[in-house]
Amino acid sequence: MQISFQKTDNILIASACGELDHHSAAAVREGIDKTMERFRCKHLILDFENVTFMDSSGIGVVLGRYKKVKNGDGILYLAGCSDYVKKILSMAGLFTIITHQETVADATNILKQQEQLQTEVNRNVQ
Amino acid sequence: MSNKMRIEFTAVPQNESFARASVAAFIAYLDPTVEELTEIKTGISEAVSNSIIHGYGENGKGTVALECIADERGKVTMIVRDEGIGIEDVNRAREPMFTTGRAEERSGMGFTVMESFMDKVEVESQIGRGTTITMMKLLDVSYGA
């Protein structure tokens, strides 16, 4: 599995390509966590459009990232999941806590809007 | 006519992909749909990962035996066997979200996924002797006959 990263504002977009199983999960986990920290990103978009295979290890990876991002008061979005990947993730009830967007662009736009709204709210509170 | 294969490999994570691919290749002649193939690969992946992670504690030693029996009616039986530590409480192990692994990263959903994608899952285990998982899936081979 290959992971590539993009950053926009304080959002990290992690695009996974290939098979996400127990073997590749460790490297994926580490790669995302280290990159989030290094570039001081608050929010994370997991782009799974090119994930060709996933088993329950993928559930662990998504859940683990969600907890980390939430601890930093950030938001995590999933994007581009195939029906099959959605089926597996929904077995663990992940879509009750994480939102899925069809594309990375959709997720990015919504996140930016949410950030802007939060900034305005904070400003008004002050 | 019954068709059978058996492979044995070292219980290391890099062989998970190999195990999936070998079963997929073996049943290809039954012309499974993409969905059936993916479901079978996922079931295999879960069972083999369980042996590696839990059976052998990811110690890099130990062997996983994988057997597959197929027939023209589309019945595919997969047996994943390890000689690891065994499961203390099989019923508990099969509960969704239960895991004996590191809770921060293990989802405890392996058996749930297996049971969701397979028609039948049987677990036999003996502490200190090992675990055998038998999965069965009936492919739809009725079309194009």
Side-chain angles (χ1 to χ4, degrees), chain A residues 2-3 48 61 75 89 108 114:
Chain A
Q2 312 283 358
I3 291 249
F48 279 2
V61 169
I75 301 170
L89 294 176
T108 313
Q114 283 174 305

Side-chain angles (χ1 to χ4, degrees), chain B:
Chain B
M1 191 204 81
S2 181
N3 183 12
K4 184 172 165 176
M5 74 86 148
R6 187 173 195 272
I7 58 171
E8 245 179 62
F9 50 88
T10 313
V12 285
Q14 52 265 47
N15 285 332
E16 288 156 11
S17 176
F18 163 64
R20 297 192 295 266
S22 70
V23 175
F26 178 68
I27 63 162
Y29 78 103
L30 291 172
D31 214 12
T33 62
V34 170
E35 194 178 334
E36 286 170 332
L37 207 55
T38 311
E39 290 176 350
I40 282 189
K41 282 165 69 177
T42 312
I44 292 287
S45 202
E46 299 294 353
V48 168
S49 297
N50 273 355
S51 289
I52 293 170
I53 300 167
H54 302 291
Y56 295 117
E58 281 189 84
N59 64 14
K61 306 170 197 163
T63 312
V64 178
L66 166 55
E67 221 172 284
C68 190
I69 306 138
D71 66 34
E72 295 91 48
R73 294 170 303 156
K75 183 177 172 192
V76 180
T77 307
M78 296 147 277
I79 303 162
V80 177
R81 201 177 278 122
D82 68 63
E83 291 174 345
I85 58 170
I87 303 172
E88 209 173 292
D89 186 340
V90 170
N91 287 330
R92 252 212 110 193
R94 289 176 84 152
E95 277 169 28
M97 323 250 198
F98 175 82
T99 182
T100 52
R102 279 173 50 226
E104 319 91 69
E105 293 292 341
R106 298 250 65 85
S107 67
M109 295 297 291
F111 275 113
T112 306
V113 171
M114 256 187 261
E115 282 162 23
S116 180
F117 287 153
M118 298 289 119
D119 294 319
K120 199 170 172 191
V121 177
E122 280 168 7
V123 184
E124 261 176 74
S125 191
Q126 263 191 298
I127 299 290
R129 301 285 298 273
T131 302
T132 301
I133 299 187
T134 306
M135 298 175 278
M136 197 279 286
K137 190 169 180 72
L138 192 60
L139 306 179
D140 182 8
V141 296
S142 56
Y143 55 86

Side-chain angles (χ1 to χ4, degrees), chain A residues 47-117:
Chain A
D47 171 17
F48 279 2
E49 198 188 326
N50 293 307
V51 169
T52 53
F53 172 85
M54 195 177 84
D55 64 12
S56 66
S57 313
I59 298 174
V61 169
V62 174
L63 208 50
R65 263 50 297 110
Y66 168 77
K67 286 178 192 170
K68 278 208 149 91
V69 166
K70 191 151 183 273
N71 278 343
D73 288 323
I75 301 170
L76 182 142
Y77 272 98
L78 281 160
C81 294
S82 65
D83 287 340
Y84 156 74
V85 168
K86 278 187 208 165
K87 194 170 177 184
I88 296 193
L89 294 176
S90 61
M91 278 184 212
L94 285 196
F95 294 115
T96 58
I97 52 172
I98 301 174
T99 312
H100 176 263
Q101 297 295 334
E102 285 310 308
T103 67
V104 169
D106 289 342
T108 313
N109 288 337
I110 293 178
L111 256 175
K112 287 190 176 176
Q113 278 172 31
Q114 283 174 305
E115 264 286 279
Q116 183 148 21
L117 212 62

